[in-house]
Amino acid sequence: MTANRASRFNRRLLIRGAAAGAAVPAVLPTAAQAATGTAPSASGSSDAKTSDATFQWLGTSGWRIDTGGGRTILFDPYLSRFETGLFKKSFNPKTPLTTDGATIDRHMGRPELILVSHSHWDHLNDVPYIAAAAPDARIVGTETTYHLLRALGVDKARIAVVRGGEVLDFDGLVVEAVSSRHSRNDTYSYFAPGTLTGPPPRPQTISDLPEGDTLAFHVTLPDGLSAFLMGASDFSERDAAGLRPDVAMIATPSTPATHRYVPRLLKALDYPATVVPVHWDNFELPLDEGAHRDPTIDLDGFVARIREAGPGSRILLPEYATPYRF
């Protein structure tokens, strides 16, 4: 396969089951596969089973997962995408919290479960609105997430507090909370650290939402497919080890502060069959404009590091609100 043909292949969206409107992952072949013309099909080996579940990227680290049995799970669903100046070098930590109800309504479905990695605005902001719109949905998050949601009017009976290590069975939908870590900027820090031990005054601005510890989640669907969901680009190697997900949604770092992030993560997860980079987009532009890259992130370099560390893994660069099957 020539380099040009390999490049065109990389950018194609491979479709299966068009009548059902479901797409399987686009595949970025390894260098060896591109050179020999042996790039894998989107479904992997010919006898591989494709899950009936669909996954839709909601931007940032957010996902909507719809099982084949009609159940919906949301992870870090941030759809309001309001302007804070973050991508214009004019970041305002006192930006008021706002909610775009119309956009959330179009994309949230009817969730029974909402998983929250941490409490920063680009992960938690829309959860109170979704909780009100889906009154049967249960929310899983940290103690800080619990206290913030209580301050924002969510019934405490609907919030399950976890620390990492819990394995919860929601009628055949198994969720393991995984102790994780927040990503680091070029000064080895991050915005709004801190935890809460009680409900604060009602949050008004993005700086009123501290990180409050970070979780990842390992979700096993009723049909057996398992997915690892990250909300920030650092992790606890010891806590992630042995999870062995089929699909890993891994957050893209903006700095090299975390030592050997990609090779350590992929090794800990035992080299998932499919790797999906997330949190590389400008999440202050409307979802219907499509994904624009965060200018501070070297996404191409990140993909190259994934390919080098896990040459047997397929790589999907997702599009917003597009259903994928794995």
Side-chain angles (χ1 to χ4, degrees):
M1 182 182 293
T2 67
N4 286 342
R5 288 182 62 197
S7 177
R8 289 197 297 271
F9 181 84
N10 291 354
R11 289 168 173 77
R12 284 206 308 264
L13 183 64
L14 304 178
I15 304 297
R16 173 189 289 172
V24 295
V27 178
L28 298 181
T30 66
Q33 290 163 342
T36 61
T38 58
S41 68
S43 59
S45 62
S46 59
D47 60 350
K49 180 184 182 296
T50 301
S51 171
D52 291 332
T54 59
F55 290 69
Q56 296 183 56
W57 185 37
L58 303 179
T60 320
S61 62
W63 287 91
R64 169 178 164 177
I65 306 170
D66 294 286
T67 73
R71 305 169 70 182
T72 298
I73 307 104
L74 297 178
F75 172 69
D76 282 3
Y78 177 59
L79 292 152
S80 292
R81 302 169 68 89
F82 53 81
E83 178 68 54
T84 71
L86 179 64
F87 298 95
K88 297 179 179 179
K89 298 183 179 180
S90 58
F91 179 61
N92 178 13
K94 296 300 182 182
T95 300
L97 299 173
T98 59
T99 302
D100 180 354
T103 298
I104 298 171
D105 290 343
R106 284 199 303 273
H107 295 285
M108 63 175 274
R110 299 180 62 183
E112 68 171 80
L113 195 60
I114 305 168
L115 309 177
V116 182
S117 69
H118 64 286
S119 299
H120 283 155
W121 85 96
D122 53 326
H123 302 262
L124 185 68
N125 181 83
D126 292 347
V127 173
Y129 180 93
I130 295 170
D136 295 327
R138 184 172 294 278
I139 304 157
V140 182
T142 66
E143 182 180 2
T144 294
T145 292
Y146 169 86
H147 290 308
L148 288 168
L149 291 177
R150 291 282 292 119
L152 289 163
V154 179
D155 182 355
K156 65 181 181 180
R158 300 177 59 191
I159 311 167
V161 175
V162 294
R163 296 183 178 181
E166 298 87 351
V167 183
L168 308 177
D169 192 330
F170 296 94
D171 297 323
L173 176 67
V174 180
V175 174
E176 180 172 355
V178 182
S179 178
S180 196
R181 303 293 183 269
H182 198 275
S183 40
R184 301 277 162 171
N185 59 26
D186 54 9
T187 63
Y188 298 86
S189 186
Y190 58 89
F191 173 72
T195 59
L196 298 176
T197 58
R202 185 178 180 90
Q204 302 292 328
T205 72
I206 61 173
S207 61
D208 295 331
L209 300 180
E211 174 251 353
D213 297 327
T214 294
L215 300 167
F217 290 95
H218 183 248
V219 178
T220 303
L221 304 181
D223 66 8
L225 182 82
S226 63
F228 181 71
L229 306 169
M230 293 183 76
S233 58
D234 200 353
F235 71 107
S236 167
E237 191 168 359
R238 294 170 181 83
D239 289 288
L243 292 176
R244 304 188 67 190
D246 298 303
V247 186
M249 285 64 173
I250 66 175
T252 309
S254 60
T255 74
T258 298
H259 176 65
R260 301 186 71 247
Y261 170 62
V262 172
R264 289 194 303 114
L265 177 58
L266 294 188
K267 181 179 179 181
L269 297 177
D270 198 20
Y271 304 100
T274 304
V275 175
V276 186
V278 296
H279 218 327
W280 48 263
D281 58 320
N282 180 335
F283 51 82
E284 298 188 356
L285 296 175
L287 202 72
D288 58 12
E289 288 189 8
H292 293 253
R293 296 187 183 190
D294 177 344
T296 68
I297 285 178
D298 177 13
L299 181 58
D300 294 333
F302 186 60
V303 169
R305 290 190 291 277
I306 295 171
R307 185 179 294 125
E308 179 182 8
S313 297
R314 297 183 290 262
I315 303 171
L316 165 66
L317 290 181
E319 297 289 344
Y320 291 155
T322 299
Y324 297 96
R325 285 181 177 168
F326 299 103

